[in-house]
Amino acid sequence: MKRGSHIAIFDTFKTHQAKSTRESKRQRGIIAHIALEKDPSGKTRTSIAHILAKKYGIAWQNIYSAIFKDLDEVLIPAKVVKEGGRLPIKRGPKALQIEGIPYYELTNTGLIIASTIEETGDIRLRMKLLETYLLNSNVNNTGNNENNGEINDGILLLSRYAPSFILKIINEYIMAYNRGEIERIDRLDIKNLKKVISNHITIEKELVEACMVLSNDKKEILKNFIEKIS
C-alpha cells in the first residue's frame, strides 16, 4: 500500500481499544454506503455526506470536507474505491456542467473489505459481497487454477455453514494488508492467505480433524457438548 493511504477502518483509540476512531467510523460508513447504494446519484460525495451526517446527527457541511479527504487521499489511492463515472448537472460552474460530478464504486479490494464490516448489513448480505469478490478474483487470477478453485469452493461452502469463521479468516487477511504485510488483496492469493491465517485457525483445524476421525456416537457427544456450552 502506498504511504499516506492508510486505511483507518480498524483503528481504535490508544487509550480505549474497543472504541473506533472518528476516521475509522467515517471510512467504514463510506465503504458500506457505496456497497449498498444502487443509484449512482446516491454515491456522489455530497450524497454520501448527507447520508453519514444524518446518521451522526450533524450538518452535512460539517462532514463533507472529511469525506472528500477520505476518498481522494485514502480510499482511492489505496484502491478501495474508484470513480464509477460522471453525472451531468444543470446548474453550477460551466466547467462542472460539462465534466459532471463523479460518483464512486468499490473496487475488488473494496468488496472484500465491505464483506467484513458490520455497517454493510446482515451476514448474508456480507457473504454475497464476498461471493462477488471471489468471482472477480477468480477471473483476474493467473495462478494455479486448481488450487484457486478448491479455495473458492471451500470459502463458499463455509460462508453458508460457518460464516463467522470465514469472516475471521478474511478479517485477518485484510488486517495483514493494512499492516503492509501483503502487497495487494484485489485478488485472492493462496500463498498469502496461508501465510496470514495458518497461525490463527489452529483450534478450528484441530476440531475439524477430530470430527473427521470420530465415530458417529462420539460425534453426537461432541455435538451435545458444543450445544451445552454455546
Side-chain angles (χ1 to χ4, degrees):
M1 196 188 318
K2 295 179 181 179
R3 290 188 179 276
S5 58
H6 170 71
I7 305 172
I9 59 170
F10 297 117
D11 287 1
T12 57
F13 290 102
K14 292 181 180 179
T15 56
H16 199 322
Q17 293 296 312
K19 189 174 182 181
S20 299
T21 64
R22 289 181 185 176
E23 187 179 20
S24 170
K25 290 180 179 179
R26 197 173 58 242
Q27 288 183 16
R28 290 162 72 100
I30 292 170
I31 292 169
H33 176 70
I34 295 174
L36 299 173
E37 180 60 56
K38 304 299 182 184
D39 186 353
S41 66
K43 295 190 284 187
T44 64
R45 287 188 292 253
T46 302
S47 295
I48 296 170
H50 276 282
I51 292 296
L52 295 190
K54 183 177 181 181
K55 179 180 178 180
Y56 302 143
I58 60 176
W60 72 270
Q61 295 91 338
N62 293 343
I63 198 174
Y64 179 85
S65 61
I67 288 173
F68 191 108
K69 183 177 180 181
D70 282 329
L71 286 166
D72 283 24
E73 297 184 15
V74 181
L75 298 178
I76 292 176
K79 298 181 180 179
V80 174
V81 172
K82 63 181 179 180
E83 188 175 305
R86 298 245 166 181
L87 299 174
I89 61 171
K90 297 180 179 180
R91 298 179 181 179
K94 187 174 182 180
L96 193 56
Q97 291 183 42
I98 295 172
E99 293 180 4
I101 55 174
Y103 67 89
Y104 301 94
E105 295 177 350
L106 295 182
T107 63
N108 218 36
T109 296
L111 280 173
I112 190 173
I113 291 174
S115 72
T116 66
I117 58 177
E118 294 179 356
E119 289 85 347
T120 310
D122 65 44
I123 203 161
R124 289 177 299 175
L125 179 56
R126 290 154 70 186
M127 291 300 98
K128 284 286 187 183
L129 292 171
L130 181 60
E131 183 177 347
T132 302
Y133 165 81
L134 289 174
L135 290 172
N136 294 344
S137 180
N138 195 44
V139 168
N140 296 325
N141 205 324
T142 56
N144 189 314
N145 290 330
E146 183 178 349
N147 285 340
N148 292 340
E150 290 177 356
I151 292 294
N152 286 359
D153 290 345
I155 291 176
L156 290 173
L157 177 66
L158 288 171
S159 70
R160 293 192 291 271
Y161 296 101
S164 296
F165 175 54
I166 288 301
L167 286 178
K168 175 183 178 179
I169 290 175
I170 300 302
N171 214 47
E172 291 293 342
Y173 193 55
I174 294 170
M175 289 182 72
Y177 168 70
N178 208 30
R179 292 191 298 266
E181 297 170 11
I182 298 175
E183 186 176 348
R184 57 192 294 182
I185 55 172
D186 59 318
R187 61 174 184 257
L188 193 62
D189 185 287
I190 297 170
K191 290 183 179 179
N192 281 333
L193 184 64
K194 182 177 180 179
K195 179 177 70 175
V196 168
I197 70 168
S198 59
N199 292 329
H200 294 278
I201 60 168
T202 53
I203 295 174
E204 292 87 351
K205 182 181 178 182
E206 186 177 87
L207 183 59
V208 170
E209 290 174 344
C211 288
M212 291 177 68
V213 299
L214 290 176
S215 58
N216 288 335
D217 59 328
K218 290 182 178 179
K219 285 180 181 178
E220 190 64 26
I221 293 173
L222 178 59
K223 179 184 175 183
N224 292 335
F225 171 72
I226 296 296
E227 288 179 349
K228 291 290 184 182
I229 65 172
S230 62

